[in-house]
mmCIF file of all heavy atoms in Angstrom:
data_model
loop_
_atom_site.group_PDB
_atom_site.id
_atom_site.type_symbol
_atom_site.label_atom_id
_atom_site.label_comp_id
_atom_site.label_asym_id
_atom_site.label_seq_id
_atom_site.Cartn_x
_atom_site.Cartn_y
_atom_site.Cartn_z
ATOM 1 N N GLN I 74 12.568 -20.659 9.905
ATOM 2 C CA GLN I 74 11.193 -20.310 9.638
ATOM 3 C C GLN I 74 10.603 -19.475 10.748
ATOM 4 O O GLN I 74 9.883 -18.526 10.498
ATOM 5 C CB GLN I 74 10.370 -21.572 9.426
ATOM 6 C CG GLN I 74 10.632 -22.264 8.101
ATOM 7 C CD GLN I 74 9.715 -23.495 7.900
ATOM 8 O OE1 GLN I 74 9.108 -24.009 8.840
ATOM 9 N NE2 GLN I 74 9.659 -23.982 6.679
ATOM 10 N N GLN I 75 10.974 -19.829 12.002
ATOM 11 C CA GLN I 75 10.479 -19.062 13.150
ATOM 12 C C GLN I 75 11.060 -17.665 13.139
ATOM 13 O O GLN I 75 10.351 -16.668 13.394
ATOM 14 C CB GLN I 75 10.861 -19.760 14.454
ATOM 15 C CG GLN I 75 10.258 -19.095 15.703
ATOM 16 C CD GLN I 75 8.759 -19.029 15.672
ATOM 17 O OE1 GLN I 75 8.128 -20.026 15.454
ATOM 18 N NE2 GLN I 75 8.185 -17.857 15.898
ATOM 19 N N LYS I 76 12.355 -17.515 12.806
ATOM 20 C CA LYS I 76 12.954 -16.214 12.701
ATOM 21 C C LYS I 76 12.304 -15.365 11.639
ATOM 22 O O LYS I 76 12.045 -14.143 11.817
ATOM 23 C CB LYS I 76 14.472 -16.329 12.420
ATOM 24 C CG LYS I 76 15.303 -16.796 13.578
ATOM 25 C CD LYS I 76 16.741 -16.909 13.225
ATOM 26 C CE LYS I 76 17.614 -17.373 14.405
ATOM 27 N NZ LYS I 76 19.044 -17.489 14.021
ATOM 28 N N SER I 77 12.001 -16.000 10.526
ATOM 29 C CA SER I 77 11.354 -15.321 9.426
ATOM 30 C C SER I 77 9.931 -14.848 9.822
ATOM 31 O O SER I 77 9.513 -13.714 9.535
ATOM 32 C CB SER I 77 11.246 -16.213 8.192
ATOM 33 O OG SER I 77 10.549 -15.571 7.119
ATOM 34 N N ALA I 78 9.224 -15.723 10.534
ATOM 35 C CA ALA I 78 7.862 -15.383 10.996
ATOM 36 C C ALA I 78 7.890 -14.249 12.012
ATOM 37 O O ALA I 78 7.112 -13.338 11.988
ATOM 38 C CB ALA I 78 7.176 -16.589 11.591
ATOM 39 N N ASP I 79 8.890 -14.284 12.935
ATOM 40 C CA ASP I 79 9.021 -13.232 13.951
ATOM 41 C C ASP I 79 9.367 -11.920 13.274
ATOM 42 O O ASP I 79 8.826 -10.855 13.670
ATOM 43 C CB ASP I 79 10.139 -13.603 14.952
ATOM 44 C CG ASP I 79 9.732 -14.746 15.832
ATOM 45 O OD1 ASP I 79 8.542 -15.097 15.901
ATOM 46 O OD2 ASP I 79 10.616 -15.351 16.473
ATOM 47 N N ARG I 80 10.264 -11.957 12.272
ATOM 48 C CA ARG I 80 10.638 -10.717 11.573
ATOM 49 C C ARG I 80 9.435 -10.142 10.842
ATOM 50 O O ARG I 80 9.195 -8.935 10.882
ATOM 51 C CB ARG I 80 11.783 -11.008 10.596
ATOM 52 C CG ARG I 80 12.254 -9.783 9.820
ATOM 53 C CD ARG I 80 13.487 -10.043 8.991
ATOM 54 N NE ARG I 80 13.252 -11.077 8.010
ATOM 55 C CZ ARG I 80 13.716 -12.321 8.072
ATOM 56 N NH1 ARG I 80 14.457 -12.710 9.131
ATOM 57 N NH2 ARG I 80 13.470 -13.191 7.114
ATOM 58 N N ARG I 81 8.651 -11.016 10.192
ATOM 59 C CA ARG I 81 7.447 -10.545 9.464
ATOM 60 C C ARG I 81 6.427 -9.947 10.452
ATOM 61 O O ARG I 81 5.816 -8.908 10.151
ATOM 62 C CB ARG I 81 6.813 -11.695 8.717
ATOM 63 C CG ARG I 81 5.620 -11.281 7.841
ATOM 64 C CD ARG I 81 6.011 -10.214 6.875
ATOM 65 N NE ARG I 81 4.990 -9.934 5.908
ATOM 66 C CZ ARG I 81 4.811 -8.772 5.322
ATOM 67 N NH1 ARG I 81 5.617 -7.756 5.584
ATOM 68 N NH2 ARG I 81 3.847 -8.584 4.414
ATOM 69 N N ARG I 82 6.273 -10.545 11.598
ATOM 70 C CA ARG I 82 5.364 -10.032 12.594
ATOM 71 C C ARG I 82 5.788 -8.661 13.069
ATOM 72 O O ARG I 82 4.967 -7.740 13.268
ATOM 73 C CB ARG I 82 5.284 -10.996 13.810
ATOM 74 C CG ARG I 82 4.230 -10.653 14.845
ATOM 75 C CD ARG I 82 4.230 -11.704 15.910
ATOM 76 N NE ARG I 82 3.363 -11.366 17.021
ATOM 77 C CZ ARG I 82 2.045 -11.648 17.074
ATOM 78 N NH1 ARG I 82 1.472 -12.282 16.043
ATOM 79 N NH2 ARG I 82 1.322 -11.321 18.102
ATOM 80 N N ARG I 83 7.115 -8.465 13.311
ATOM 81 C CA ARG I 83 7.633 -7.151 13.699
ATOM 82 C C ARG I 83 7.355 -6.104 12.643
ATOM 83 O O ARG I 83 6.973 -4.972 12.938
ATOM 84 C CB ARG I 83 9.118 -7.212 14.004
ATOM 85 C CG ARG I 83 9.497 -7.847 15.353
ATOM 86 C CD ARG I 83 10.927 -7.578 15.706
ATOM 87 N NE ARG I 83 11.861 -8.061 14.730
ATOM 88 C CZ ARG I 83 12.393 -9.270 14.681
ATOM 89 N NH1 ARG I 83 12.012 -10.167 15.614
ATOM 90 N NH2 ARG I 83 13.221 -9.626 13.765
ATOM 91 N N GLU I 84 7.540 -6.486 11.401
ATOM 92 C CA GLU I 84 7.275 -5.590 10.301
ATOM 93 C C GLU I 84 5.819 -5.156 10.263
ATOM 94 O O GLU I 84 5.489 -3.970 10.022
ATOM 95 C CB GLU I 84 7.686 -6.216 8.951
ATOM 96 C CG GLU I 84 9.191 -6.404 8.795
ATOM 97 C CD GLU I 84 9.558 -7.267 7.580
ATOM 98 O OE1 GLU I 84 8.626 -7.832 6.968
ATOM 99 O OE2 GLU I 84 10.765 -7.382 7.284
ATOM 100 N N LEU I 85 4.939 -6.080 10.474
ATOM 101 C CA LEU I 85 3.489 -5.762 10.465
ATOM 102 C C LEU I 85 3.116 -4.880 11.639
ATOM 103 O O LEU I 85 2.308 -3.957 11.505
ATOM 104 C CB LEU I 85 2.689 -7.067 10.481
ATOM 105 C CG LEU I 85 2.762 -7.931 9.224
ATOM 106 C CD1 LEU I 85 1.990 -9.205 9.416
ATOM 107 C CD2 LEU I 85 2.257 -7.203 7.986
ATOM 108 N N LEU I 86 3.731 -5.125 12.812
ATOM 109 C CA LEU I 86 3.477 -4.271 13.965
ATOM 110 C C LEU I 86 3.992 -2.856 13.732
ATOM 111 O O LEU I 86 3.376 -1.881 14.167
ATOM 112 C CB LEU I 86 4.067 -4.873 15.233
ATOM 113 C CG LEU I 86 3.355 -6.098 15.796
ATOM 114 C CD1 LEU I 86 4.161 -6.711 16.969
ATOM 115 C CD2 LEU I 86 1.954 -5.714 16.301
ATOM 116 N N GLU I 87 5.155 -2.737 13.037
ATOM 117 C CA GLU I 87 5.671 -1.435 12.725
ATOM 118 C C GLU I 87 4.762 -0.690 11.774
ATOM 119 O O GLU I 87 4.527 0.547 11.890
ATOM 120 C CB GLU I 87 7.097 -1.557 12.168
ATOM 121 C CG GLU I 87 8.125 -1.919 13.248
ATOM 122 C CD GLU I 87 9.432 -2.434 12.644
ATOM 123 O OE1 GLU I 87 9.582 -2.441 11.425
ATOM 124 O OE2 GLU I 87 10.294 -2.858 13.453
ATOM 125 N N ALA I 88 4.203 -1.427 10.805
ATOM 126 C CA ALA I 88 3.218 -0.802 9.895
ATOM 127 C C ALA I 88 2.004 -0.363 10.673
ATOM 128 O O ALA I 88 1.449 0.749 10.461
ATOM 129 C CB ALA I 88 2.827 -1.813 8.818
ATOM 130 N N ALA I 89 1.545 -1.209 11.625
ATOM 131 C CA ALA I 89 0.367 -0.838 12.441
ATOM 132 C C ALA I 89 0.669 0.385 13.270
ATOM 133 O O ALA I 89 -0.178 1.265 13.400
ATOM 134 C CB ALA I 89 -0.007 -2.011 13.329
ATOM 135 N N ASP I 90 1.882 0.461 13.803
ATOM 136 C CA ASP I 90 2.278 1.645 14.571
ATOM 137 C C ASP I 90 2.196 2.899 13.759
ATOM 138 O O ASP I 90 1.735 3.960 14.245
ATOM 139 C CB ASP I 90 3.687 1.484 15.105
ATOM 140 C CG ASP I 90 3.738 1.009 16.578
ATOM 141 O OD1 ASP I 90 2.716 1.148 17.261
ATOM 142 O OD2 ASP I 90 4.802 0.595 17.013
ATOM 143 N N ARG I 91 2.656 2.852 12.504
ATOM 144 C CA ARG I 91 2.603 4.036 11.650
ATOM 145 C C ARG I 91 1.152 4.507 11.430
ATOM 146 O O ARG I 91 0.878 5.691 11.426
ATOM 147 C CB ARG I 91 3.311 3.758 10.299
ATOM 148 C CG ARG I 91 4.805 3.538 10.436
ATOM 149 C CD ARG I 91 5.472 3.557 9.090
ATOM 150 N NE ARG I 91 5.121 2.469 8.206
ATOM 151 C CZ ARG I 91 5.673 1.293 8.201
ATOM 152 N NH1 ARG I 91 6.709 1.000 9.030
ATOM 153 N NH2 ARG I 91 5.315 0.340 7.332
ATOM 154 N N VAL I 92 0.282 3.552 11.217
ATOM 155 C CA VAL I 92 -1.128 3.920 10.999
ATOM 156 C C VAL I 92 -1.750 4.471 12.268
ATOM 157 O O VAL I 92 -2.478 5.456 12.242
ATOM 158 C CB VAL I 92 -1.924 2.670 10.520
ATOM 159 C CG1 VAL I 92 -3.387 3.006 10.431
ATOM 160 C CG2 VAL I 92 -1.417 2.225 9.155
ATOM 161 N N VAL I 93 -1.430 3.862 13.421
ATOM 162 C CA VAL I 93 -1.959 4.338 14.689
ATOM 163 C C VAL I 93 -1.455 5.755 14.986
ATOM 164 O O VAL I 93 -2.194 6.619 15.457
ATOM 165 C CB VAL I 93 -1.595 3.374 15.818
ATOM 166 C CG1 VAL I 93 -1.927 3.970 17.206
ATOM 167 C CG2 VAL I 93 -2.340 2.064 15.657
ATOM 168 N N LEU I 94 -0.174 6.023 14.704
ATOM 169 C CA LEU I 94 0.376 7.345 14.902
ATOM 170 C C LEU I 94 -0.350 8.398 14.042
ATOM 171 O O LEU I 94 -0.500 9.559 14.405
ATOM 172 C CB LEU I 94 1.861 7.368 14.585
ATOM 173 C CG LEU I 94 2.818 6.831 15.667
ATOM 174 C CD1 LEU I 94 4.206 6.680 15.127
ATOM 175 C CD2 LEU I 94 2.785 7.759 16.882
ATOM 176 N N ARG I 95 -0.801 7.958 12.865
ATOM 177 C CA ARG I 95 -1.487 8.853 11.944
ATOM 178 C C ARG I 95 -2.990 8.949 12.290
ATOM 179 O O ARG I 95 -3.531 10.054 12.312
ATOM 180 C CB ARG I 95 -1.339 8.336 10.531
ATOM 181 C CG ARG I 95 -1.955 9.237 9.455
ATOM 182 C CD ARG I 95 -1.876 8.563 8.087
ATOM 183 N NE ARG I 95 -2.829 7.442 8.006
ATOM 184 C CZ ARG I 95 -2.606 6.298 7.385
ATOM 185 N NH1 ARG I 95 -1.405 6.070 6.838
ATOM 186 N NH2 ARG I 95 -3.507 5.372 7.313
ATOM 187 N N ASP I 96 -3.616 7.849 12.582
ATOM 188 C CA ASP I 96 -5.053 7.820 12.679
ATOM 189 C C ASP I 96 -5.624 7.686 14.094
ATOM 190 O O ASP I 96 -6.820 7.833 14.353
ATOM 191 C CB ASP I 96 -5.657 6.651 11.868
ATOM 192 C CG ASP I 96 -5.334 6.807 10.385
ATOM 193 O OD1 ASP I 96 -5.019 7.960 9.956
ATOM 194 O OD2 ASP I 96 -5.432 5.787 9.646
ATOM 195 N N GLY I 97 -4.761 7.313 15.074
ATOM 196 C CA GLY I 97 -5.225 7.111 16.431
ATOM 197 C C GLY I 97 -6.294 6.029 16.540
ATOM 198 O O GLY I 97 -6.173 4.977 15.899
ATOM 199 N N PRO I 98 -7.352 6.275 17.330
ATOM 200 C CA PRO I 98 -8.375 5.267 17.513
ATOM 201 C C PRO I 98 -9.118 4.895 16.212
ATOM 202 O O PRO I 98 -9.795 3.838 16.167
ATOM 203 C CB PRO I 98 -9.369 5.930 18.488
ATOM 204 C CG PRO I 98 -8.551 6.968 19.188
ATOM 205 C CD PRO I 98 -7.574 7.457 18.134
ATOM 206 N N SER I 99 -8.991 5.726 15.178
ATOM 207 C CA SER I 99 -9.643 5.401 13.891
ATOM 208 C C SER I 99 -8.875 4.395 13.076
ATOM 209 O O SER I 99 -9.371 3.958 12.017
ATOM 210 C CB SER I 99 -9.847 6.683 13.075
ATOM 211 O OG SER I 99 -10.700 7.593 13.724
ATOM 212 N N ALA I 100 -7.719 4.002 13.523
ATOM 213 C CA ALA I 100 -6.908 3.015 12.794
ATOM 214 C C ALA I 100 -7.706 1.762 12.534
ATOM 215 O O ALA I 100 -8.242 1.167 13.489
ATOM 216 C CB ALA I 100 -5.591 2.713 13.540
ATOM 217 N N SER I 101 -7.782 1.323 11.292
ATOM 218 C CA SER I 101 -8.557 0.149 10.947
ATOM 219 C C SER I 101 -7.698 -0.962 10.420
ATOM 220 O O SER I 101 -6.543 -0.700 9.994
ATOM 221 C CB SER I 101 -9.629 0.490 9.909
ATOM 222 O OG SER I 101 -8.991 0.821 8.660
ATOM 223 N N MET I 102 -8.193 -2.162 10.404
ATOM 224 C CA MET I 102 -7.448 -3.292 9.858
ATOM 225 C C MET I 102 -7.222 -3.059 8.360
ATOM 226 O O MET I 102 -6.140 -3.451 7.829
ATOM 227 C CB MET I 102 -8.248 -4.596 10.050
ATOM 228 C CG MET I 102 -8.398 -4.981 11.520
ATOM 229 S SD MET I 102 -6.884 -5.457 12.324
ATOM 230 C CE MET I 102 -6.724 -7.172 11.870
ATOM 231 N N ASN I 103 -8.148 -2.451 7.652
ATOM 232 C CA ASN I 103 -7.977 -2.162 6.201
ATOM 233 C C ASN I 103 -6.778 -1.233 5.998
ATOM 234 O O ASN I 103 -5.952 -1.447 5.117
ATOM 235 C CB ASN I 103 -9.231 -1.522 5.614
ATOM 236 C CG ASN I 103 -10.342 -2.554 5.365
ATOM 237 O OD1 ASN I 103 -10.053 -3.713 5.058
ATOM 238 N ND2 ASN I 103 -11.569 -2.138 5.459
ATOM 239 N N ALA I 104 -6.720 -0.139 6.821
ATOM 240 C CA ALA I 104 -5.621 0.817 6.668
ATOM 241 C C ALA I 104 -4.306 0.198 6.993
ATOM 242 O O ALA I 104 -3.252 0.469 6.349
ATOM 243 C CB ALA I 104 -5.907 2.035 7.561
ATOM 244 N N ILE I 105 -4.264 -0.657 8.031
ATOM 245 C CA ILE I 105 -3.000 -1.273 8.442
ATOM 246 C C ILE I 105 -2.527 -2.274 7.374
ATOM 247 O O ILE I 105 -1.352 -2.334 7.064
ATOM 248 C CB ILE I 105 -3.193 -1.984 9.820
ATOM 249 C CG1 ILE I 105 -3.394 -0.903 10.898
ATOM 250 C CG2 ILE I 105 -2.004 -2.855 10.138
ATOM 251 C CD1 ILE I 105 -3.876 -1.466 12.243
ATOM 252 N N ALA I 106 -3.487 -3.032 6.813
ATOM 253 C CA ALA I 106 -3.105 -3.982 5.726
ATOM 254 C C ALA I 106 -2.541 -3.228 4.541
ATOM 255 O O ALA I 106 -1.539 -3.613 3.963
ATOM 256 C CB ALA I 106 -4.329 -4.794 5.339
ATOM 257 N N ALA I 107 -3.190 -2.071 4.190
ATOM 258 C CA ALA I 107 -2.718 -1.292 3.073
ATOM 259 C C ALA I 107 -1.323 -0.726 3.329
ATOM 260 O O ALA I 107 -0.462 -0.731 2.465
ATOM 261 C CB ALA I 107 -3.709 -0.119 2.795
ATOM 262 N N GLU I 108 -1.069 -0.276 4.581
ATOM 263 C CA GLU I 108 0.221 0.284 4.929
ATOM 264 C C GLU I 108 1.293 -0.802 4.853
ATOM 265 O O GLU I 108 2.436 -0.505 4.414
ATOM 266 C CB GLU I 108 0.186 0.843 6.376
ATOM 267 C CG GLU I 108 1.510 1.312 6.928
ATOM 268 C CD GLU I 108 1.986 2.629 6.258
ATOM 269 O OE1 GLU I 108 1.150 3.359 5.684
ATOM 270 O OE2 GLU I 108 3.200 2.890 6.297
ATOM 271 N N ALA I 109 0.946 -2.025 5.232
ATOM 272 C CA ALA I 109 1.916 -3.124 5.178
ATOM 273 C C ALA I 109 2.074 -3.723 3.781
ATOM 274 O O ALA I 109 2.931 -4.581 3.551
ATOM 275 C CB ALA I 109 1.486 -4.231 6.132
ATOM 276 N N GLY I 110 1.191 -3.302 2.827
ATOM 277 C CA GLY I 110 1.287 -3.809 1.463
ATOM 278 C C GLY I 110 0.762 -5.235 1.320
ATOM 279 O O GLY I 110 1.267 -5.991 0.494
#
């Protein structure tokens, strides 16, 4: 369960990175959630 949670957290951070690379300081929680599905 911990491994699964860690993997999911990494995936969410990677999604956040993609949004930040696109939007910079304008990156929002809404956009990051959408990117992560």
